[in-house]
mmCIF file of all heavy atoms in Angstrom:
data_model
loop_
_atom_site.group_PDB
_atom_site.id
_atom_site.type_symbol
_atom_site.label_atom_id
_atom_site.label_comp_id
_atom_site.label_asym_id
_atom_site.label_seq_id
_atom_site.Cartn_x
_atom_site.Cartn_y
_atom_site.Cartn_z
ATOM 1 N N ALA E 1 -16.302 8.416 -15.951
ATOM 2 C CA ALA E 1 -16.100 8.771 -14.551
ATOM 3 C C ALA E 1 -14.976 7.931 -13.958
ATOM 4 O O ALA E 1 -14.952 6.710 -14.112
ATOM 5 C CB ALA E 1 -17.386 8.545 -13.769
ATOM 6 N N ALA E 2 -14.042 8.594 -13.308
ATOM 7 C CA ALA E 2 -12.936 7.881 -12.678
ATOM 8 C C ALA E 2 -13.430 7.176 -11.422
ATOM 9 O O ALA E 2 -14.123 7.763 -10.589
ATOM 10 C CB ALA E 2 -11.813 8.855 -12.326
ATOM 11 N N ALA E 3 -13.064 5.900 -11.322
ATOM 12 C CA ALA E 3 -13.497 5.135 -10.153
ATOM 13 C C ALA E 3 -12.762 5.614 -8.909
ATOM 14 O O ALA E 3 -11.593 5.991 -8.957
ATOM 15 C CB ALA E 3 -13.223 3.650 -10.385
ATOM 16 N N GLU E 4 -13.468 5.621 -7.796
ATOM 17 C CA GLU E 4 -12.854 6.006 -6.533
ATOM 18 C C GLU E 4 -11.797 4.966 -6.171
ATOM 19 O O GLU E 4 -12.084 3.771 -6.106
ATOM 20 C CB GLU E 4 -13.919 6.065 -5.439
ATOM 21 C CG GLU E 4 -13.418 6.637 -4.133
ATOM 22 C CD GLU E 4 -13.151 8.120 -4.200
ATOM 23 O OE1 GLU E 4 -13.722 8.790 -5.090
ATOM 24 O OE2 GLU E 4 -12.378 8.612 -3.358
ATOM 25 N N PRO E 5 -10.543 5.384 -5.970
ATOM 26 C CA PRO E 5 -9.505 4.395 -5.677
ATOM 27 C C PRO E 5 -9.783 3.655 -4.380
ATOM 28 O O PRO E 5 -10.097 4.255 -3.352
ATOM 29 C CB PRO E 5 -8.231 5.245 -5.579
ATOM 30 C CG PRO E 5 -8.704 6.636 -5.286
ATOM 31 C CD PRO E 5 -10.038 6.763 -5.969
ATOM 32 N N ALA E 6 -9.680 2.329 -4.454
ATOM 33 C CA ALA E 6 -9.914 1.505 -3.271
ATOM 34 C C ALA E 6 -8.644 1.449 -2.434
ATOM 35 O O ALA E 6 -7.535 1.634 -2.936
ATOM 36 C CB ALA E 6 -10.340 0.102 -3.688
ATOM 37 N N ASP E 7 -8.810 1.190 -1.155
ATOM 38 C CA ASP E 7 -7.658 1.018 -0.271
ATOM 39 C C ASP E 7 -6.905 -0.225 -0.729
ATOM 40 O O ASP E 7 -7.465 -1.328 -0.764
ATOM 41 C CB ASP E 7 -8.140 0.845 1.166
ATOM 42 C CG ASP E 7 -6.988 0.803 2.168
ATOM 43 O OD1 ASP E 7 -5.822 0.723 1.739
ATOM 44 O OD2 ASP E 7 -7.267 0.839 3.384
ATOM 45 N N PRO E 8 -5.625 -0.092 -1.115
ATOM 46 C CA PRO E 8 -4.892 -1.262 -1.620
ATOM 47 C C PRO E 8 -4.488 -2.250 -0.539
ATOM 48 O O PRO E 8 -4.045 -3.355 -0.855
ATOM 49 C CB PRO E 8 -3.645 -0.625 -2.260
ATOM 50 C CG PRO E 8 -3.443 0.642 -1.491
ATOM 51 C CD PRO E 8 -4.815 1.131 -1.142
ATOM 52 N N VAL E 9 -4.641 -1.868 0.736
ATOM 53 C CA VAL E 9 -4.186 -2.719 1.841
ATOM 54 C C VAL E 9 -5.385 -3.335 2.559
ATOM 55 O O VAL E 9 -6.355 -2.647 2.889
ATOM 56 C CB VAL E 9 -3.344 -1.911 2.850
ATOM 57 C CG1 VAL E 9 -2.911 -2.795 4.016
ATOM 58 C CG2 VAL E 9 -2.131 -1.293 2.165
ATOM 59 N N ARG E 10 -5.309 -4.633 2.780
ATOM 60 C CA ARG E 10 -6.318 -5.321 3.579
ATOM 61 C C ARG E 10 -5.663 -6.526 4.257
ATOM 62 O O ARG E 10 -4.635 -7.019 3.814
ATOM 63 C CB ARG E 10 -7.505 -5.765 2.721
ATOM 64 C CG ARG E 10 -7.157 -6.613 1.518
ATOM 65 C CD ARG E 10 -8.403 -6.895 0.684
ATOM 66 N NE ARG E 10 -8.114 -7.653 -0.532
ATOM 67 C CZ ARG E 10 -7.817 -7.100 -1.704
ATOM 68 N NH1 ARG E 10 -7.790 -5.781 -1.827
ATOM 69 N NH2 ARG E 10 -7.568 -7.855 -2.767
ATOM 70 N N VAL E 11 -6.273 -6.968 5.326
ATOM 71 C CA VAL E 11 -5.764 -8.126 6.067
ATOM 72 C C VAL E 11 -6.808 -9.226 6.018
ATOM 73 O O VAL E 11 -7.992 -8.989 6.295
ATOM 74 C CB VAL E 11 -5.454 -7.762 7.532
ATOM 75 C CG1 VAL E 11 -5.005 -9.013 8.293
ATOM 76 C CG2 VAL E 11 -4.389 -6.688 7.592
ATOM 77 N N GLN E 12 -6.369 -10.426 5.634
ATOM 78 C CA GLN E 12 -7.271 -11.566 5.571
ATOM 79 C C GLN E 12 -6.506 -12.830 5.949
ATOM 80 O O GLN E 12 -5.388 -13.054 5.468
ATOM 81 C CB GLN E 12 -7.864 -11.715 4.160
ATOM 82 C CG GLN E 12 -8.920 -12.795 4.048
ATOM 83 C CD GLN E 12 -9.642 -12.747 2.701
ATOM 84 O OE1 GLN E 12 -9.680 -11.710 2.037
ATOM 85 N NE2 GLN E 12 -10.216 -13.866 2.306
ATOM 86 N N ASP E 13 -7.100 -13.648 6.784
ATOM 87 C CA ASP E 13 -6.472 -14.897 7.237
ATOM 88 C C ASP E 13 -5.067 -14.650 7.771
ATOM 89 O O ASP E 13 -4.134 -15.425 7.513
ATOM 90 C CB ASP E 13 -6.430 -15.929 6.106
ATOM 91 C CG ASP E 13 -7.816 -16.323 5.622
ATOM 92 O OD1 ASP E 13 -8.793 -16.067 6.359
ATOM 93 O OD2 ASP E 13 -7.923 -16.873 4.518
ATOM 94 N N ASP E 14 -4.914 -13.540 8.502
ATOM 95 C CA ASP E 14 -3.629 -13.160 9.104
ATOM 96 C C ASP E 14 -2.530 -12.952 8.064
ATOM 97 O O ASP E 14 -1.344 -13.160 8.338
ATOM 98 C CB ASP E 14 -3.178 -14.197 10.134
ATOM 99 C CG ASP E 14 -2.258 -13.568 11.188
ATOM 100 O OD1 ASP E 14 -2.451 -12.369 11.494
ATOM 101 O OD2 ASP E 14 -1.346 -14.255 11.670
ATOM 102 N N VAL E 15 -2.919 -12.534 6.856
ATOM 103 C CA VAL E 15 -1.983 -12.188 5.789
ATOM 104 C C VAL E 15 -2.278 -10.763 5.348
ATOM 105 O O VAL E 15 -3.444 -10.390 5.161
ATOM 106 C CB VAL E 15 -2.114 -13.140 4.577
ATOM 107 C CG1 VAL E 15 -1.250 -12.668 3.420
ATOM 108 C CG2 VAL E 15 -1.743 -14.560 4.980
ATOM 109 N N THR E 16 -1.236 -9.946 5.215
ATOM 110 C CA THR E 16 -1.418 -8.588 4.697
ATOM 111 C C THR E 16 -1.403 -8.634 3.177
ATOM 112 O O THR E 16 -0.402 -9.017 2.565
ATOM 113 C CB THR E 16 -0.310 -7.647 5.195
ATOM 114 O OG1 THR E 16 -0.396 -7.523 6.614
ATOM 115 C CG2 THR E 16 -0.458 -6.271 4.567
ATOM 116 N N ILE E 17 -2.522 -8.256 2.582
ATOM 117 C CA ILE E 17 -2.651 -8.191 1.131
ATOM 118 C C ILE E 17 -2.449 -6.750 0.686
ATOM 119 O O ILE E 17 -3.105 -5.840 1.194
ATOM 120 C CB ILE E 17 -4.040 -8.672 0.671
ATOM 121 C CG1 ILE E 17 -4.265 -10.130 1.053
ATOM 122 C CG2 ILE E 17 -4.204 -8.465 -0.835
ATOM 123 C CD1 ILE E 17 -3.442 -11.116 0.275
ATOM 124 N N ILE E 18 -1.518 -6.539 -0.242
ATOM 125 C CA ILE E 18 -1.342 -5.222 -0.863
ATOM 126 C C ILE E 18 -1.675 -5.392 -2.338
ATOM 127 O O ILE E 18 -0.911 -5.979 -3.102
ATOM 128 C CB ILE E 18 0.082 -4.681 -0.668
ATOM 129 C CG1 ILE E 18 0.400 -4.563 0.825
ATOM 130 C CG2 ILE E 18 0.227 -3.320 -1.355
ATOM 131 C CD1 ILE E 18 1.812 -4.068 1.116
ATOM 132 N N ASP E 19 -2.846 -4.905 -2.722
ATOM 133 C CA ASP E 19 -3.365 -5.122 -4.072
ATOM 134 C C ASP E 19 -2.886 -3.999 -4.997
ATOM 135 O O ASP E 19 -3.380 -2.875 -4.933
ATOM 136 C CB ASP E 19 -4.896 -5.172 -4.038
ATOM 137 C CG ASP E 19 -5.479 -5.738 -5.323
ATOM 138 O OD1 ASP E 19 -4.753 -5.792 -6.332
ATOM 139 O OD2 ASP E 19 -6.661 -6.134 -5.303
ATOM 140 N N LEU E 20 -1.926 -4.326 -5.854
ATOM 141 C CA LEU E 20 -1.339 -3.342 -6.757
ATOM 142 C C LEU E 20 -1.903 -3.435 -8.167
ATOM 143 O O LEU E 20 -1.436 -2.749 -9.072
ATOM 144 C CB LEU E 20 0.182 -3.523 -6.791
ATOM 145 C CG LEU E 20 0.883 -3.359 -5.448
ATOM 146 C CD1 LEU E 20 2.362 -3.680 -5.578
ATOM 147 C CD2 LEU E 20 0.694 -1.950 -4.895
ATOM 148 N N ARG E 21 -2.904 -4.286 -8.352
ATOM 149 C CA ARG E 21 -3.573 -4.335 -9.644
ATOM 150 C C ARG E 21 -4.308 -3.008 -9.859
ATOM 151 O O ARG E 21 -4.942 -2.498 -8.952
ATOM 152 C CB ARG E 21 -4.544 -5.513 -9.699
ATOM 153 C CG ARG E 21 -3.845 -6.870 -9.588
ATOM 154 C CD ARG E 21 -4.820 -8.012 -9.398
ATOM 155 N NE ARG E 21 -5.533 -7.907 -8.128
ATOM 156 C CZ ARG E 21 -6.423 -8.818 -7.701
ATOM 157 N NH1 ARG E 21 -6.696 -9.872 -8.452
ATOM 158 N NH2 ARG E 21 -7.032 -8.659 -6.539
ATOM 159 N N ARG E 22 -4.153 -2.442 -11.017
ATOM 160 C CA ARG E 22 -4.696 -1.122 -11.358
ATOM 161 C C ARG E 22 -3.968 0.020 -10.644
ATOM 162 O O ARG E 22 -4.474 1.151 -10.579
ATOM 163 C CB ARG E 22 -6.206 -1.028 -11.080
ATOM 164 C CG ARG E 22 -7.045 -2.008 -11.887
ATOM 165 C CD ARG E 22 -8.520 -1.831 -11.604
ATOM 166 N NE ARG E 22 -9.317 -2.763 -12.384
ATOM 167 C CZ ARG E 22 -9.767 -2.533 -13.624
ATOM 168 N NH1 ARG E 22 -9.470 -1.393 -14.216
ATOM 169 N NH2 ARG E 22 -10.482 -3.426 -14.257
ATOM 170 N N ALA E 23 -2.795 -0.252 -10.100
ATOM 171 C CA ALA E 23 -2.013 0.831 -9.493
ATOM 172 C C ALA E 23 -1.649 1.853 -10.558
ATOM 173 O O ALA E 23 -1.287 1.493 -11.680
ATOM 174 C CB ALA E 23 -0.746 0.272 -8.845
ATOM 175 N N PRO E 24 -1.718 3.139 -10.250
ATOM 176 C CA PRO E 24 -1.479 4.189 -11.246
ATOM 177 C C PRO E 24 0.002 4.427 -11.510
ATOM 178 O O PRO E 24 0.869 3.712 -10.991
ATOM 179 C CB PRO E 24 -2.118 5.415 -10.588
ATOM 180 C CG PRO E 24 -1.901 5.173 -9.117
ATOM 181 C CD PRO E 24 -2.055 3.683 -8.929
ATOM 182 N N ALA E 25 0.281 5.452 -12.297
ATOM 183 C CA ALA E 25 1.668 5.822 -12.569
ATOM 184 C C ALA E 25 2.321 6.425 -11.329
ATOM 185 O O ALA E 25 3.523 6.234 -11.092
ATOM 186 C CB ALA E 25 1.733 6.811 -13.729
ATOM 187 N N VAL E 26 1.532 7.135 -10.522
ATOM 188 C CA VAL E 26 2.054 7.797 -9.322
ATOM 189 C C VAL E 26 1.037 7.655 -8.196
ATOM 190 O O VAL E 26 -0.160 7.878 -8.409
ATOM 191 C CB VAL E 26 2.333 9.301 -9.579
ATOM 192 C CG1 VAL E 26 2.851 9.961 -8.315
ATOM 193 C CG2 VAL E 26 3.307 9.491 -10.729
ATOM 194 N N PHE E 27 1.505 7.274 -7.009
ATOM 195 C CA PHE E 27 0.647 7.263 -5.830
ATOM 196 C C PHE E 27 0.686 8.635 -5.161
ATOM 197 O O PHE E 27 1.718 9.317 -5.168
ATOM 198 C CB PHE E 27 1.135 6.236 -4.805
ATOM 199 C CG PHE E 27 0.781 4.815 -5.110
ATOM 200 C CD1 PHE E 27 1.745 3.819 -5.055
ATOM 201 C CD2 PHE E 27 -0.524 4.455 -5.432
ATOM 202 C CE1 PHE E 27 1.425 2.502 -5.321
ATOM 203 C CE2 PHE E 27 -0.852 3.134 -5.705
ATOM 204 C CZ PHE E 27 0.123 2.161 -5.649
ATOM 205 N N ASP E 28 -0.426 9.029 -4.546
ATOM 206 C CA ASP E 28 -0.366 10.211 -3.690
ATOM 207 C C ASP E 28 0.400 9.838 -2.425
ATOM 208 O O ASP E 28 0.596 8.662 -2.111
ATOM 209 C CB ASP E 28 -1.765 10.734 -3.364
ATOM 210 C CG ASP E 28 -2.646 9.703 -2.675
ATOM 211 O OD1 ASP E 28 -2.258 9.208 -1.596
ATOM 212 O OD2 ASP E 28 -3.717 9.376 -3.211
ATOM 213 N N ASP E 29 0.855 10.856 -1.694
ATOM 214 C CA ASP E 29 1.710 10.617 -0.525
ATOM 215 C C ASP E 29 1.028 9.721 0.508
ATOM 216 O O ASP E 29 1.671 8.855 1.114
ATOM 217 C CB ASP E 29 2.095 11.949 0.118
ATOM 218 C CG ASP E 29 3.053 12.755 -0.749
ATOM 219 O OD1 ASP E 29 3.650 12.162 -1.674
ATOM 220 O OD2 ASP E 29 3.203 13.968 -0.513
ATOM 221 N N ALA E 30 -0.265 9.924 0.707
ATOM 222 C CA ALA E 30 -0.982 9.153 1.725
ATOM 223 C C ALA E 30 -1.020 7.670 1.365
ATOM 224 O O ALA E 30 -0.812 6.800 2.223
ATOM 225 C CB ALA E 30 -2.396 9.701 1.890
ATOM 226 N N THR E 31 -1.272 7.361 0.090
ATOM 227 C CA THR E 31 -1.339 5.961 -0.339
ATOM 228 C C THR E 31 0.035 5.313 -0.279
ATOM 229 O O THR E 31 0.176 4.162 0.156
ATOM 230 C CB THR E 31 -1.918 5.866 -1.754
ATOM 231 O OG1 THR E 31 -3.213 6.472 -1.789
ATOM 232 C CG2 THR E 31 -2.033 4.410 -2.206
ATOM 233 N N TYR E 32 1.049 6.043 -0.721
ATOM 234 C CA TYR E 32 2.422 5.523 -0.680
ATOM 235 C C TYR E 32 2.816 5.175 0.757
ATOM 236 O O TYR E 32 3.354 4.091 1.035
ATOM 237 C CB TYR E 32 3.361 6.581 -1.263
ATOM 238 C CG TYR E 32 4.804 6.142 -1.441
ATOM 239 C CD1 TYR E 32 5.133 5.050 -2.237
ATOM 240 C CD2 TYR E 32 5.840 6.852 -0.838
ATOM 241 C CE1 TYR E 32 6.454 4.664 -2.419
ATOM 242 C CE2 TYR E 32 7.170 6.477 -1.020
ATOM 243 C CZ TYR E 32 7.470 5.390 -1.814
ATOM 244 O OH TYR E 32 8.776 5.008 -1.992
ATOM 245 N N ASN E 33 2.534 6.076 1.674
ATOM 246 C CA ASN E 33 2.865 5.840 3.078
ATOM 247 C C ASN E 33 2.039 4.696 3.657
ATOM 248 O O ASN E 33 2.540 3.881 4.447
ATOM 249 C CB ASN E 33 2.628 7.109 3.887
ATOM 250 C CG ASN E 33 3.169 7.002 5.303
ATOM 251 O OD1 ASN E 33 4.370 7.051 5.531
ATOM 252 N ND2 ASN E 33 2.269 6.835 6.268
ATOM 253 N N ARG E 34 0.769 4.614 3.273
ATOM 254 C CA ARG E 34 -0.107 3.543 3.746
ATOM 255 C C ARG E 34 0.446 2.172 3.350
ATOM 256 O O ARG E 34 0.481 1.243 4.152
ATOM 257 C CB ARG E 34 -1.495 3.747 3.151
ATOM 258 C CG ARG E 34 -2.436 2.546 3.198
ATOM 259 C CD ARG E 34 -3.123 2.431 4.509
ATOM 260 N NE ARG E 34 -4.224 1.476 4.465
ATOM 261 C CZ ARG E 34 -4.461 0.587 5.403
ATOM 262 N NH1 ARG E 34 -3.703 0.519 6.481
ATOM 263 N NH2 ARG E 34 -5.491 -0.240 5.317
ATOM 264 N N ILE E 35 0.921 2.049 2.111
ATOM 265 C CA ILE E 35 1.447 0.771 1.630
ATOM 266 C C ILE E 35 2.740 0.414 2.349
ATOM 267 O O ILE E 35 2.914 -0.723 2.817
ATOM 268 C CB ILE E 35 1.669 0.838 0.108
ATOM 269 C CG1 ILE E 35 0.321 0.909 -0.622
ATOM 270 C CG2 ILE E 35 2.470 -0.370 -0.376
ATOM 271 C CD1 ILE E 35 0.434 1.170 -2.100
ATOM 272 N N LEU E 36 3.660 1.369 2.462
ATOM 273 C CA LEU E 36 4.937 1.079 3.109
ATOM 274 C C LEU E 36 4.755 0.786 4.593
ATOM 275 O O LEU E 36 5.465 -0.044 5.170
ATOM 276 C CB LEU E 36 5.899 2.250 2.910
ATOM 277 C CG LEU E 36 6.355 2.483 1.462
ATOM 278 C CD1 LEU E 36 7.330 3.643 1.402
ATOM 279 C CD2 LEU E 36 6.981 1.235 0.866
ATOM 280 N N THR E 37 3.801 1.447 5.215
ATOM 281 C CA THR E 37 3.503 1.180 6.623
ATOM 282 C C THR E 37 3.028 -0.260 6.815
ATOM 283 O O THR E 37 3.385 -0.923 7.788
ATOM 284 C CB THR E 37 2.427 2.162 7.129
ATOM 285 O OG1 THR E 37 2.930 3.497 7.060
ATOM 286 C CG2 THR E 37 2.044 1.858 8.566
ATOM 287 N N ALA E 38 2.223 -0.737 5.864
ATOM 288 C CA ALA E 38 1.719 -2.112 5.947
ATOM 289 C C ALA E 38 2.791 -3.139 5.593
ATOM 290 O O ALA E 38 2.728 -4.290 6.038
ATOM 291 C CB ALA E 38 0.524 -2.274 5.017
ATOM 292 N N LEU E 39 3.792 -2.720 4.829
ATOM 293 C CA LEU E 39 4.840 -3.636 4.382
ATOM 294 C C LEU E 39 5.878 -3.900 5.476
ATOM 295 O O LEU E 39 6.296 -5.046 5.693
ATOM 296 C CB LEU E 39 5.526 -3.059 3.136
ATOM 297 C CG LEU E 39 6.688 -3.849 2.543
ATOM 298 C CD1 LEU E 39 6.208 -5.189 2.006
ATOM 299 C CD2 LEU E 39 7.356 -3.032 1.431
ATOM 300 N N PHE E 40 6.279 -2.836 6.175
ATOM 301 C CA PHE E 40 7.404 -2.933 7.105
ATOM 302 C C PHE E 40 6.970 -3.009 8.573
ATOM 303 O O PHE E 40 5.889 -2.561 8.944
ATOM 304 C CB PHE E 40 8.328 -1.728 6.933
ATOM 305 C CG PHE E 40 9.054 -1.691 5.624
ATOM 306 C CD1 PHE E 40 8.788 -0.693 4.696
ATOM 307 C CD2 PHE E 40 10.009 -2.651 5.316
ATOM 308 C CE1 PHE E 40 9.465 -0.653 3.486
ATOM 309 C CE2 PHE E 40 10.688 -2.622 4.118
ATOM 310 C CZ PHE E 40 10.416 -1.624 3.195
ATOM 311 N N ALA E 41 7.883 -3.553 9.371
ATOM 312 C CA ALA E 41 7.758 -3.507 10.834
ATOM 313 C C ALA E 41 8.883 -2.615 11.345
ATOM 314 O O ALA E 41 10.049 -2.844 11.044
ATOM 315 C CB ALA E 41 7.883 -4.902 11.434
ATOM 316 N N GLY E 42 8.559 -1.588 12.084
ATOM 317 C CA GLY E 42 9.591 -0.687 12.574
ATOM 318 C C GLY E 42 9.942 0.401 11.581
ATOM 319 O O GLY E 42 9.387 0.488 10.491
ATOM 320 N N ARG E 43 10.898 1.240 11.969
ATOM 321 C CA ARG E 43 11.275 2.384 11.156
ATOM 322 C C ARG E 43 12.260 1.958 10.063
ATOM 323 O O ARG E 43 13.256 1.281 10.338
ATOM 324 C CB ARG E 43 11.880 3.479 12.019
ATOM 325 C CG ARG E 43 12.003 4.818 11.279
ATOM 326 C CD ARG E 43 12.058 5.986 12.249
ATOM 327 N NE ARG E 43 11.805 7.243 11.570
ATOM 328 C CZ ARG E 43 10.609 7.731 11.307
ATOM 329 N NH1 ARG E 43 9.531 7.056 11.663
ATOM 330 N NH2 ARG E 43 10.453 8.888 10.693
ATOM 331 N N VAL E 44 11.969 2.368 8.826
ATOM 332 C CA VAL E 44 12.779 1.966 7.677
ATOM 333 C C VAL E 44 13.017 3.179 6.784
ATOM 334 O O VAL E 44 12.112 3.977 6.547
ATOM 335 C CB VAL E 44 12.079 0.858 6.856
ATOM 336 C CG1 VAL E 44 12.839 0.567 5.574
ATOM 337 C CG2 VAL E 44 11.948 -0.410 7.695
ATOM 338 N N ASN E 45 14.255 3.293 6.292
ATOM 339 C CA ASN E 45 14.589 4.310 5.301
ATOM 340 C C ASN E 45 14.630 3.635 3.931
ATOM 341 O O ASN E 45 15.426 2.713 3.712
ATOM 342 C CB ASN E 45 15.942 4.960 5.616
ATOM 343 C CG ASN E 45 16.272 6.090 4.662
ATOM 344 O OD1 ASN E 45 16.549 5.867 3.492
ATOM 345 N ND2 ASN E 45 16.249 7.317 5.161
ATOM 346 N N VAL E 46 13.763 4.075 3.030
ATOM 347 C CA VAL E 46 13.658 3.441 1.717
ATOM 348 C C VAL E 46 14.972 3.547 0.945
ATOM 349 O O VAL E 46 15.374 2.615 0.247
ATOM 350 C CB VAL E 46 12.507 4.068 0.911
ATOM 351 C CG1 VAL E 46 12.478 3.510 -0.514
ATOM 352 C CG2 VAL E 46 11.176 3.810 1.606
ATOM 353 N N GLY E 47 15.656 4.679 1.092
ATOM 354 C CA GLY E 47 16.932 4.844 0.409
ATOM 355 C C GLY E 47 17.963 3.825 0.846
ATOM 356 O O GLY E 47 18.758 3.327 0.037
ATOM 357 N N GLU E 48 17.955 3.481 2.133
ATOM 358 C CA GLU E 48 18.890 2.472 2.626
ATOM 359 C C GLU E 48 18.520 1.081 2.127
ATOM 360 O O GLU E 48 19.391 0.228 1.933
ATOM 361 C CB GLU E 48 18.922 2.502 4.151
ATOM 362 C CG GLU E 48 19.533 3.785 4.719
ATOM 363 C CD GLU E 48 19.514 3.813 6.231
ATOM 364 O OE1 GLU E 48 19.019 2.833 6.840
ATOM 365 O OE2 GLU E 48 19.973 4.821 6.815
#
């Protein structure tokens, strides 16, 4: 049985933790956006 993927983003002690251990070959769009949203402040173009 495939384990239900856990939310890779959490906040602890005022630090944003992005847990990429066991990250798959491809993220779904929602997870990818969730991680980048937690990484950046403001609007960012990944290509730039």
Side-chain angles (χ1 to χ4, degrees):
E4 188 71 22
D7 186 350
V9 178
R10 55 185 177 270
V11 177
Q12 186 170 337
D13 298 342
D14 206 32
V15 173
T16 296
I17 298 290
I18 301 178
D19 194 343
L20 300 175
R21 296 170 295 182
R22 299 182 180 272
V26 179
F27 282 131
D28 58 58
D29 290 344
T31 302
Y32 187 59
N33 190 74
R34 163 83 168 136
I35 291 172
L36 293 181
T37 297
L39 178 65
F40 292 114
R43 193 157 196 84
V44 173
N45 184 290
V46 174
E48 293 178 0

